Amino acid sequence: MKKLLLFVLVAVGVGLVGCSDESENEGTDKAVEEESEKEVAERNAKAVNDIDDDEVIGNVGEVEMTGEDLRYEMKRLELIYALSGDSTEASPTVAIQEFTRNVIIHQLAEEQDIAVNESEQEKRAKAVRDDLSSNESYEDVMKDVDEEVFWERETERYEIILEAEELITLLMEEEKKDHPDYTEQALRFDAQEALDEWIQEKLSGLEVHFEEIEG
């Protein structure tokens, strides 16, 4: 079970705040306008089941996310929640956040010349699959999908997971230079925070856009 928890889910959000000093009325008008735009977006939101597999629903820089990507991320979330005994429903918003985070992690790993051992990647994915194969919650979640297709995607995902582990190790080494007396747990905590900040910094320099999805 523990092998599955692949990643701590971290929400990656981009907020835009508008302000004006000219008048209170202008600020009020702008708020009404923004609220109206939000309502229009929600009204035009697409249902997950209405999105074709090859339909592009957004992008992180030059990396596109398709309907197939979205459904995989949502099924993965559904599986994690079920195995954790969590009744939370898989959300398109969280799925998009996970996709975005992993795109950035892969780019950071490439910039650091981190190369993942493919056999280790396959070994880790297989170990998780073997561990879950007889789990009742797993069987319930996976009954409506092609398991081979899912695990092919999941094996690819382990490239990102291993890259993230390497980035954490790299950041722990940097933290240890400044804090040689820290425990490994403290170093890992600080390294995780540093990775989150690194992701946000990288994300701020990219064009990120996604369509509104119901749910």
Side-chain angles (χ1 to χ4, degrees):
M1 180 84 71
K2 291 180 181 177
K3 291 177 185 174
L4 180 72
L5 296 212
L6 320 157
F7 260 160
V8 175
L9 304 181
V10 177
V12 181
V14 179
L16 299 177
V17 180
C19 60
S20 171
D21 295 326
E22 292 183 11
S23 71
E24 290 184 6
N25 287 339
E26 184 177 339
T28 302
D29 291 344
K30 184 173 181 59
V32 170
E33 181 183 345
E34 288 175 349
E35 183 179 358
S36 177
E37 288 174 356
K38 181 181 179 182
E39 289 174 350
V40 170
E42 290 174 349
R43 203 163 48 243
N44 294 330
K46 294 185 175 182
V48 173
N49 290 337
D50 291 339
I51 302 172
D52 294 334
D53 280 352
D54 59 355
E55 183 177 347
V56 175
I57 61 166
N59 63 281
V60 182
E62 296 181 357
V63 180
E64 296 178 335
M65 184 180 195
T66 65
E68 182 180 9
D69 295 327
L70 177 65
R71 275 185 277 276
Y72 159 70
E73 292 289 350
M74 290 185 68
K75 179 57 66 174
R76 193 171 191 273
L77 288 171
E78 184 183 350
L79 184 56
I80 291 172
Y81 294 150
L83 292 167
S84 304
D86 188 336
S87 60
T88 303
E89 289 190 14
S91 155
T93 300
V94 178
I96 288 169
Q97 289 166 351
E98 282 292 281
F99 177 88
T100 301
R101 177 180 172 81
N102 288 315
V103 167
I104 302 300
I105 285 173
H106 184 60
Q107 291 181 0
L108 291 174
E110 287 186 327
E111 290 171 5
Q112 299 301 311
D113 295 324
I114 291 173
V116 169
N117 183 306
E118 190 172 336
S119 62
E120 176 65 16
Q121 178 181 336
E122 293 172 353
K123 179 181 176 183
R124 291 276 293 272
K126 183 179 184 303
V128 174
R129 184 176 185 177
D130 290 346
D131 193 41
L132 298 177
S133 58
S134 60
N135 185 291
E136 187 176 340
S137 295
Y138 169 82
E139 293 176 356
D140 288 343
V141 171
M142 301 299 287
K143 62 188 177 184
D144 62 342
V145 298
D146 185 324
E147 286 190 52
E148 295 307 317
V149 171
F150 177 85
W151 283 101
E152 183 178 338
R153 291 292 302 261
E154 193 66 12
T155 301
E156 293 172 1
R157 179 60 158 265
Y158 267 85
E159 179 181 17
I160 307 291
I161 293 170
L162 291 170
E163 286 173 343
E165 290 177 1
E166 290 292 330
L167 287 169
I168 289 290
T169 298
L170 181 67
L171 290 166
M172 285 176 69
E173 291 170 355
E174 291 299 313
E175 287 291 325
K176 192 168 185 177
K177 292 176 184 177
D178 296 331
H179 307 285
D181 58 330
Y182 274 19
T183 64
E184 182 174 349
Q185 183 178 4
L187 289 171
R188 185 170 297 278
F189 179 83
D190 283 359
Q192 183 63 62
E193 285 197 332
L195 179 57
D196 291 341
E197 291 173 4
W198 201 359
I199 290 169
Q200 291 292 342
E201 181 181 346
K202 180 76 174 176
L203 186 61
S204 67
L206 294 175
E207 179 185 342
V208 179
H209 171 75
F210 287 94
E211 294 186 28
E212 192 76 24
I213 309 295
E214 286 181 8

